[in-house]
């Protein structure tokens, strides 16, 4: 594959471009790209094309339609950071569908790396190990292993930002119990319910709606939820599927089950994907400690910060319906609120020898979480070209400080205009209008947002 010459920026120039364009991690928690970029200590860029969770085909379609642009985006990052090698890491079945092969050269310094069809191979810690054989040590960031990881869409956005095109849209898979699975480019800030109605999709009474994948996605009310920079999919799933049931139980209920029905089999620890990389994390020990209110070993709580939230412990391992991942998440929230961080003091960890025999096959995972019947490649609907009624743009669509509004009610804005600038002094990213319109309101309080009434019309 041949690509044209990519523009050259210094790392500081690219950081500013990424911040001003509003580029954040498009496939996970939304970490602002600028704060990953550095021109020292790193020698490898990994483009995360694993599309980790079932039913989601957003990155698949982006690679199918815009692979040249993705490669150019990667090369822009490589030049700025002095990185000489880059891997586009995709699952074996995705590589086959896209007619990519292991070691195939896509452009200068960019090659294909095939990943096993397992869950959750898209977790960046696991991705780094599978791609490079390096283990990011517990509590450390990827750059300490010499690696920068960016999602396919994030890298594509870098190429667009180099052409002065900010982040204004998301490529979203709509799937699950719907008549037709679709892939569509959607303005950021569009109401989810309005988006579904555009395609005649009604949520059945026995179904729930998720923003994200079946394992790590969040239950949402479509009438009150809006497309964010981190939205990859909108899934409509029956309420009786394990994927949905796991999200409806309260922490108090899970705690009661942990203290009464845990059979202490430790299977959750045996299958923990981070533990298999040698991380000192044991969901079974943490569950027992929480259930017994035990505080004699603080590591049982501190190690919860090493949890990726993949849900294997609950959805694949536990035979008693306990959710270790929920308890781990609550512990992480409490530790974070008190500014307590895990610190690894032991020797460097290594992947366990039994790891390859305990990885979770992707097809088996789909079956266990109850989504296998809905797994179909969606139809590409292109760009949504009719105006939404309004946009609701959250000021915090990323990890770090909320963006700071630069508009006021009554202001007219055009698609691509900055409506909130990146905050100073920490990770942040700008927010842009994703359609022409008039600012209705600006709320800078908790959960701050900017509401824009869109101008009628078709793009």
């Amino acid at each position: 594959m041949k690509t044209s010459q990519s523009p050259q920026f210094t790392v500081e120039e690219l950081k500013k471009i990424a911040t001003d364009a509003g580029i954040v991690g498009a496939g996970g928690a939304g970490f602002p790209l600028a704060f990953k970029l550095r021109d020292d200590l790193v020698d490898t860029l990994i483009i995360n094309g694993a599309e980790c969770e079932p039913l989601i085909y957003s990155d698949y379609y982006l690679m199918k339609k815009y692979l040249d642009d993705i490669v150019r985006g990667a090369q822009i990052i490589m030049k700025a950071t002095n990185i000489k090698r880059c891997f586009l890491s995709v699952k074996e079945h995705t590589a086959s569908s896209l007619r990519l092969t292991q070691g195939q050269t896509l452009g200068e310094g960019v090659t294909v790396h095939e990943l096993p069809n397992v869950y959750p191979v898209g977790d960046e810690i696991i991705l780094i190990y599978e791609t490079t054989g390096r283990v990011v040590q517990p509590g450390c960031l990827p750059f300490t292993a010499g690696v920068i990881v960016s999602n396919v869409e994030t890298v594509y956005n870098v190429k667009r930002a180099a052409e002065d095109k900010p982040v204004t849209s998301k490529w979203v898979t709509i799937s699950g119990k719907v008549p037709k699975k679709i892939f569509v480019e959607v303005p950021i800030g569009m109401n989810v319910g309005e988006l579904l109605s555009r395609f005649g999709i009604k949520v059945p009474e026995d179904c729930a709606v998720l923003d994200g994948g079946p394992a790590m996605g969040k239950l949402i009310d479509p009438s009150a939820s809006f497309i964010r920079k981190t939205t990859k999919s909108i899934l409509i799933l029956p309420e009786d599927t394990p994927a949905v049931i796991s999200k409806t139980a309260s922490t108090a209920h899970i705690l009661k089950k942990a203290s009464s029905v845990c059979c202490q089999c430790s299977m959750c620890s045996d299958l923990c994907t981070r533990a298999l990389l040698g991380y000192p994390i044991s969901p079974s020990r943490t569950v027992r400690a929480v259930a017994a209110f035990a505080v004699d070993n603080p590591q049982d709580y501190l190690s919860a910060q090493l949890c990726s939230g993949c849900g294997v412990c609950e959805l694949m391992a536990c035979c008693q319906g306990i959710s270790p991942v929920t308890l781990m998440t609550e512990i992480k929230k409490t530790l974070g609120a008190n500014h307590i961080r895990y610190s690894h003091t032991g020797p460097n960890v290594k992947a366990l020898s039994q790891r390859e025999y305990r990885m979770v096959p992707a097809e088996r995972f789909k079956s266990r979480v109850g989504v296998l019947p809905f797994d179909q490649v969606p139809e590409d609907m292109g760009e949504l070209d009719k105006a939404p009624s309004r946009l609701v743009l959250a000021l915090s669509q990323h990890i770090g400080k909320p963006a700071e509004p630069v508009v006021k009610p009554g202001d007219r804005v055009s698609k691509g205009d900055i409506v909130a600038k990146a905050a100073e002094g920490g990770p942040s990213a700008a927010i842009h209008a994703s359609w022409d319109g008039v600012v209705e309101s600006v709320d800078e309080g908790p959960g701050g947002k900017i509401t824009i009434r869109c101008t009628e019309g078709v793009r």
Side-chain angles (χ1 to χ4, degrees), residues 11-21 34:
V11 70
E12 293 303 321
E13 288 171 340
L14 188 55
K15 284 181 179 181
K16 186 176 189 312
I17 289 170
T19 299
D20 292 346

Side-chain angles (χ1 to χ4, degrees), residues 305 329-341:
Q305 290 188 325
T329 300
E330 290 301 314
I331 293 170
K332 285 194 288 186
K333 289 178 182 177
T334 300
L335 293 173
N338 289 279
H339 307 289
I340 300 172
R341 288 186 57 83

Side-chain angles (χ1 to χ4, degrees), residues 8-220:
Q8 176 77 58
F9 303 103
T10 67
V11 70
E12 293 303 321
E13 288 171 340
L14 188 55
K15 284 181 179 181
K16 186 176 189 312
I17 289 170
T19 299
D20 292 346
I23 301 177
V24 304
F31 198 87
L33 176 64
F35 290 83
K36 285 187 176 184
L37 300 176
R38 55 191 305 143
D39 57 4
D40 63 340
L41 304 180
V42 292
D43 59 20
T44 303
L45 171 66
I46 298 176
I47 308 171
N48 187 349
E51 204 123 56
C52 191
E53 292 222 45
L55 307 188
I56 307 176
Y57 287 85
S58 300
D59 289 341
Y60 165 79
Y61 265 115
L62 278 172
M63 289 184 284
K64 184 176 181 179
K65 298 173 68 172
Y66 303 115
L67 187 56
D68 281 351
D69 290 337
I70 291 165
V71 171
R72 292 191 188 104
Q75 290 172 332
I76 290 169
I77 295 174
M78 293 168 69
K79 288 180 179 179
T81 56
N82 296 320
I83 286 175
K84 303 303 181 186
R85 69 170 185 171
C86 170
F87 297 102
L88 173 62
S89 292
V90 295
K91 290 179 182 176
E92 293 169 350
H93 70 84
T94 303
S96 177
S97 296
L98 295 174
R99 297 183 179 179
L100 301 174
T101 58
Q102 173 69 19
Q104 178 181 346
T105 298
L106 301 177
E108 184 179 354
V110 184
T111 57
V112 174
H113 182 82
E114 293 189 19
L115 301 166
N117 294 327
V118 299
Y119 176 82
V121 76
D123 167 21
E124 69 176 4
I125 303 300
I126 295 173
L127 181 71
I128 289 170
Y129 178 75
E130 289 290 341
T131 304
T132 68
R134 301 173 185 176
V135 176
V136 178
Q137 294 303 303
C140 296
L141 294 173
F143 79 85
T144 61
V147 180
I148 294 173
V149 178
S150 282
N151 175 260
V152 162
E153 187 176 351
T154 307
V155 176
Y156 173 75
N157 285 335
V158 170
K159 187 265 181 183
R160 289 174 56 83
E163 300 170 345
D164 296 322
K165 298 174 183 176
V167 179
T168 58
S169 62
K170 284 292 298 181
W171 283 263
V172 178
T173 300
I174 301 176
S175 188
K177 191 179 178 180
V178 294
K180 181 170 67 174
K181 283 70 171 169
I182 61 175
F183 166 75
V184 60
E185 185 181 356
V186 186
I188 293 170
M190 184 175 185
N191 179 266
V192 173
E194 182 179 3
L195 172 62
L196 295 178
S197 68
R198 286 285 181 91
F199 296 97
I201 297 174
K202 295 182 179 180
V203 179
E205 292 185 2
D206 64 344
C207 287
V209 182
L210 278 65
D211 182 328
M216 301 178 72
K218 306 297 183 184
L219 292 172
I220 61 170

Side-chain angles (χ1 to χ4, degrees), residues 152-448:
V152 162
E153 187 176 351
T154 307
V155 176
Y156 173 75
N157 285 335
V158 170
K159 187 265 181 183
R160 289 174 56 83
E163 300 170 345
D164 296 322
K165 298 174 183 176
V167 179
T168 58
S169 62
K170 284 292 298 181
W171 283 263
V172 178
T173 300
I174 301 176
S175 188
K177 191 179 178 180
V178 294
K180 181 170 67 174
K181 283 70 171 169
I182 61 175
F183 166 75
V184 60
E185 185 181 356
V186 186
I188 293 170
M190 184 175 185
N191 179 266
V192 173
E194 182 179 3
L195 172 62
L196 295 178
S197 68
R198 286 285 181 91
F199 296 97
I201 297 174
K202 295 182 179 180
V203 179
E205 292 185 2
D206 64 344
C207 287
V209 182
L210 278 65
D211 182 328
M216 301 178 72
K218 306 297 183 184
L219 292 172
I220 61 170
D221 173 0
S223 66
S225 299
F226 303 86
I227 300 296
R228 302 169 66 90
K229 290 184 180 181
T230 54
T231 302
K232 277 287 187 185
S233 64
I234 300 297
L235 303 183
I236 299 171
L237 299 175
E239 293 176 343
D240 60 357
T241 57
V244 175
I245 292 172
S246 68
K247 303 177 190 304
T248 56
S250 67
T251 303
H253 176 71
I254 292 169
L255 186 58
K256 287 180 180 179
K257 291 189 73 172
S259 62
S260 60
V261 303
C262 177
C263 63
Q264 301 192 23
C265 67
S266 298
M267 186 67 74
C268 55
S269 294
D270 291 341
L271 290 185
C272 174
T273 55
R274 291 286 181 88
L276 290 172
L277 279 178
Y279 276 37
I281 177 175
S282 175
S284 58
R285 288 181 60 90
T286 300
V287 167
R288 292 169 200 161
V290 172
F293 301 99
V295 294
D296 56 311
N297 186 7
Q299 284 297 111
D300 290 341
Y301 296 90
L302 291 172
S303 63
Q305 290 188 325
L306 302 177
C307 172
S308 69
C310 70
V312 164
C313 56
E314 172 189 15
L315 296 167
M316 293 296 298
C318 186
C319 60
Q320 301 290 355
I322 300 169
S323 177
V325 67
T326 300
L327 298 181
M328 305 284 263
T329 300
E330 290 301 314
I331 293 170
K332 285 194 288 186
K333 289 178 182 177
T334 300
L335 293 173
N338 289 279
H339 307 289
I340 300 172
R341 288 186 57 83
Y342 173 87
S343 179
H344 184 65
T345 56
N348 284 350
V349 303
K350 297 180 180 179
L352 304 188
S353 59
Q354 61 267 39
R355 177 177 178 271
E356 65 176 299
Y357 307 108
R358 294 185 182 176
M359 293 193 293
V360 178
E363 291 301 306
R364 179 62 176 153
F365 185 73
K366 293 175 192 176
S367 179
R368 284 293 291 269
V369 301
V371 302
L372 187 59
F374 309 119
D375 189 23
Q376 300 169 16
V377 178
E379 180 181 348
D380 183 5
M381 305 301 291
E383 180 183 6
L384 194 74
D385 60 359
K386 185 180 178 182
S389 57
R390 58 179 30 82
L391 305 170
V392 176
L393 301 167
L395 297 177
S396 186
Q397 300 191 43
H398 48 264
I399 287 177
K401 295 184 176 182
E404 299 173 348
V406 295
V407 294
K408 61 184 183 301
D411 285 351
R412 287 192 169 274
V413 294
S414 298
K415 179 180 178 180
D417 288 350
I418 289 182
V419 296
K421 66 179 182 178
E424 299 288 340
S428 190
I431 307 288
H432 302 76
S434 54
W435 207 277
D436 300 350
V438 178
V439 177
E440 282 190 340
S441 62
V442 177
D443 178 9
E444 297 188 62

